[in-house]
Amino acid sequence: MAEAIRDLAHIGHAELLTPKPEESLRFFVEVMGMEPEASEGQSVYLRGFGDYQRYSLKLTESAEAGLGHMAFRAWSPDALERRAAAIEASGLGVGWIDGDLGHGPAYQFADPDGHTMELYFETEKYEPPEQLRPALKNQPQRYVGRGAAVKRLDHVNLLAEDVLPNRRFAEEVLGMRLYERIELDDGSESGAWLSLTIAAHELIYVADAYGARGRLHHLAFWVDTREEVLRAADLFLDSDDVEIEFAPSKHAIAQGFFLYGLEPGGNRVEVTTGGRFVYDPAEPVVVWTEEERAKGQAWGVKTVESFHTYGTPPVESPLT
């Protein structure tokens, strides 16, 4: 077996597009409990209290909801150069940019489905203002307890016209590890759970029910306990412009405890905790069948239909 590629360290940040910037910003600050770090042009940069970098979410005004881009941090400048060269050789490279707020030069590219991504290494470590200085020196920021008080960006789930080429690109070019996948009765692949770390997922691809390309399924943010997920559900319930799509329960795949809702701009957002951590370097990939997935989630809760069909930007009718 070929030695694993270890050039990328972890998911870095994601840019979310919203046609309702004021309402979406209120949601992420007051309901999700994120801290605005900076603003620039049509974008606001937000952080969870556990983010060691300046931000993990870039919220940008746009005509349509969806994903602007997502980013991974490399282990070193040399590692960044190696992955950029590999992506360039794959034919999916876009090129270098000078950087963005809080990070240095980045290499931009698209996955086979057309989602915009970038890699970077140089980053600014978060320096809290006096009112946000933590009591413990191994914490980046004081815990303020506002809203759901999410800690960090956990993973990004992308919809894909065809899961397999995207999964192979993530494995063979980016160096991600495949932990779990879904194989349908016809042999096609409808889902893949990948990560750069021992966490069971940082990047997920699932089949787009409409055969569309480049859409977002959801962004997920981490909290430390199940009780905090339940509290987030009450906060979603009391917010007039937030729709609870899928009430708290436990996933079968990756075993995360979850809550799903639609933020005011129309994007699906997850609050999550728990899940699998894979320490075995030789653990085989878990393959789920169509029959097994039809049973629903871990405790037998049936998956809501919109979870299989809705994404951003929205698609009004199936593509032929």
Side-chain angles (χ1 to χ4, degrees):
M1 186 172 68
E3 181 71 20
I5 301 167
R6 294 186 174 91
D7 284 340
L8 302 183
H10 63 83
I11 187 172
H13 60 263
E15 180 184 22
L16 195 65
L17 307 179
T18 173
K20 297 182 178 181
E22 293 182 3
E23 294 91 336
S24 293
L25 179 60
R26 183 203 65 81
F27 168 79
F28 282 105
V29 173
E30 297 180 12
V31 181
M32 296 290 278
M34 302 188 79
E35 199 70 33
E37 165 61 9
S39 60
E40 193 174 83
Q42 301 301 106
S43 301
V44 179
Y45 299 79
L46 301 114
R47 55 178 286 101
F49 76 91
D51 283 320
Y52 76 90
Q53 300 176 102
R54 287 184 63 184
Y55 67 92
S56 58
L57 176 64
K58 179 179 181 181
L59 186 64
T60 300
E61 181 177 0
S62 177
E64 288 188 312
L67 182 75
H69 77 279
M70 64 175 298
F72 302 97
R73 191 180 182 204
W75 277 107
S76 68
D78 288 345
L80 174 58
E81 292 284 352
R82 286 193 296 269
R83 284 310 93 208
I87 296 167
E88 187 72 25
S90 77
L92 292 172
V94 174
W96 290 94
I97 62 169
D98 291 336
D100 197 353
L101 183 84
H103 73 80
Y107 186 79
Q108 290 189 332
F109 61 99
D111 66 8
D113 208 67
H115 300 97
T116 300
M117 299 181 178
E118 66 183 30
L119 310 179
Y120 67 98
F121 171 69
E122 294 177 15
T123 190
E124 294 181 32
K125 189 173 181 179
Y126 177 64
E127 292 291 340
E130 188 61 37
Q131 71 273 17
L132 292 177
R133 292 195 183 281
L136 299 175
K137 64 192 300 183
N138 58 0
Q139 297 295 316
Q141 179 195 305
R142 178 188 297 271
Y143 175 81
V144 296
R146 183 180 61 246
V150 297
K151 196 170 189 177
R152 58 176 171 79
L153 176 66
D154 186 72
H155 63 266
V156 177
N157 186 319
L158 301 176
L159 293 169
E161 180 185 34
D162 188 352
V163 169
L164 185 57
N166 290 279
R167 186 260 284 179
R168 286 179 172 165
F169 174 80
E171 286 185 284
E172 298 168 8
V173 182
L174 300 184
M176 304 194 82
R177 184 177 173 186
L178 176 67
Y179 284 125
E180 306 191 34
R181 68 184 185 89
I182 302 171
E183 185 173 311
L184 301 182
D185 294 344
D186 63 6
S188 64
E189 192 163 288
S190 68
W193 282 252
L194 305 114
S195 184
L196 295 164
T197 71
I198 63 169
H201 51 30
E202 288 185 294
L203 174 63
I204 304 168
Y205 283 105
V206 292
D208 193 308
Y210 294 99
R213 292 168 51 86
R215 296 206 300 156
L216 173 68
H217 190 274
H218 70 267
L219 297 187
F221 295 86
W222 176 272
V223 292
D224 283 333
T225 68
R226 290 182 179 182
E227 287 75 15
E228 290 173 279
V229 178
L230 297 176
R231 181 171 181 272
D234 283 335
L235 292 167
F236 281 22
L237 182 65
D238 282 335
S239 298
D240 294 336
D241 54 358
V242 179
E243 176 187 342
I244 294 177
E245 179 191 32
F246 204 167
S249 191
K250 180 181 176 179
H251 281 299
I253 298 177
Q255 299 178 30
F257 194 73
F258 66 80
L259 162 70
Y260 291 95
L262 302 182
E263 58 88 19
N267 295 292
R268 180 187 286 110
V269 173
E270 179 185 8
V271 179
T272 186
T273 194
R276 237 168 36 106
F277 293 95
V278 182
Y279 293 92
D280 183 356
E283 179 168 285
V285 175
V286 177
V287 181
W288 298 85
T289 67
E290 190 170 333
E291 180 182 9
E292 289 168 336
R293 293 307 306 127
K295 295 177 182 178
Q297 301 306 316
W299 298 328
V301 175
K302 294 298 182 183
T303 307
V304 296
E305 182 60 28
S306 62
F307 197 74
H308 295 301
T309 58
Y310 182 77
T312 49
V315 174
E316 293 184 0
S317 59
L319 301 179
T320 315

